[in-house]
Amino acid sequence: MGDSSAAAFRENSGSAGELAGKRALVTGAGSGIGAAVARRLAAEGSDVLLVDRAAESVEAVATAIGARYTVVDLSVPESVAELGENVDIVVNNAGLQYVAPVHQYPPEMFSLLLAVMVQAPFRIIRAALPGMYHRGWGRIVNISSVHGLRASPLKSAYVTAKHGLEGLSKTVAVEAAGHGVTSNCVCPGYVRTPFVEQQVTDHAVRHRVPREQVVEDVLLSRTPVKRLVEPEEVAELVAWLCGPSATSITGSSLPMDGGWMAQ
């Protein structure tokens, strides 16, 4: 996990290194969107710290890009308090899902989702802001969802958490604007992550239909663009928000939903 590995990765990617020297924190970085974001920020020259509770996965990603990593359970408040210290870029990506009607939703699961997707980002941002203010520069990107802007049935905790993350992000944007710090949300639709792929497989087996049919008729039924979002697409938007071209973009929620919300 040395500097030579990161340099080689940047060279192979053809990156100009717009974020060289910046220290970045990415949660949920062991797979999916988080891993793609970590790779992209490393390619731009960032010194990236990967955070995940899955030790083997996050170690593999970190080793591949020459980055640092730590294994943390974000549902434990004491575990996240110091993660944001001395970083220039925060990408709050970690999340989980549980599906049930509101009247049957387990309170402990509701609390867990809010702990990971609202409380942990708050604590990380809270720890990061003093250093960002002192240096006069900072980028906070919260991986929200179309469900941070719209609701769907059976996902009360997830929708609540993402709406809370949106509110936190906008509040930080307003407070931090005078300190050179931006705060934005990226709001993807269905992304091709291991979690979504497993959902597709489970549904296909349960209903004895092809996986392709599940993607088109269930996941993308309301989406004009009939394809899943790729993690690398999300990572590109995150990197752009952290770069010099997005200095005036703050307090925004940027959908990547294939037109889902346009209808």
Side-chain angles (χ1 to χ4, degrees):
M1 297 191 293
D3 292 339
S4 60
S5 298
F9 184 83
R10 290 194 295 273
E11 181 178 351
N12 292 336
S13 72
S15 167
E18 289 185 335
L19 300 175
K22 301 298 185 184
R23 294 161 294 186
L25 172 75
V26 182
T27 67
S31 63
I33 294 172
V37 168
R39 287 191 292 266
R40 190 67 184 84
L41 295 182
E44 286 294 344
S46 294
D47 174 16
V48 188
L49 173 62
L50 285 67
V51 177
D52 205 293
R53 66 177 182 177
E56 291 186 7
S57 298
V58 72
E59 180 181 10
V61 177
T63 300
I65 64 176
R68 298 172 295 124
Y69 74 93
T70 184
V71 178
V72 176
D73 183 351
L74 295 180
S75 69
V76 181
E78 295 76 15
S79 300
V80 303
E82 299 179 358
L83 287 175
E85 293 181 358
N86 300 315
V87 297
D88 304 294
I89 297 169
V90 170
V91 181
N92 287 308
N93 166 72
L96 68 159
Q97 179 65 279
Y98 188 90
V99 178
V102 172
H103 68 286
Q104 296 176 344
Y105 211 99
E108 64 275 12
M109 289 304 301
F110 196 95
S111 297
L112 175 62
L113 267 66
L114 265 65
V116 173
M117 293 192 284
V118 181
Q119 284 280 355
F122 161 72
R123 289 174 180 269
I124 290 170
I125 292 170
R126 181 178 183 273
L129 285 177
M132 291 180 177
Y133 288 175
H134 177 74
R135 293 184 292 274
W137 194 96
R139 296 291 181 266
I140 297 166
V141 183
N142 300 298
I143 306 302
S144 180
S145 164
V146 291
H147 286 112
L149 306 172
R150 299 287 190 275
S152 288
L154 308 180
K155 300 178 180 179
S156 58
Y158 189 84
V159 170
T160 300
K162 292 302 187 182
H163 274 68
L165 185 61
E166 293 276 344
L168 172 63
S169 183
K170 289 176 173 59
T171 301
V172 172
V174 173
E175 290 188 6
H179 300 276
V181 178
T182 65
S183 176
N184 293 287
C185 286
V186 175
C187 305
Y190 285 103
V191 182
R192 193 185 304 278
T193 62
F195 177 75
V196 169
E197 293 282 10
Q198 188 60 52
Q199 281 186 308
V200 172
T201 298
D202 292 344
H203 190 96
V205 171
R206 188 181 310 116
H207 297 278
R208 299 181 181 179
V209 296
R211 295 181 80 260
E212 296 76 12
Q213 184 178 339
V214 176
V215 172
E216 184 164 345
D217 294 346
V218 180
L219 269 61
L220 303 180
S221 61
R222 292 178 53 188
T223 304
V225 178
K226 298 299 182 183
R227 55 179 288 272
L228 297 175
V229 179
E230 299 296 336
E232 290 74 19
E233 296 176 75
V234 183
E236 285 293 331
L237 181 52
V238 172
W240 179 76
L241 287 170
C242 294
S245 298
T247 301
S248 295
I249 309 298
T250 193
S252 296
S253 300
L254 306 175
M256 296 187 74
D257 62 357
W260 185 78
M261 291 196 303
Q263 299 189 94

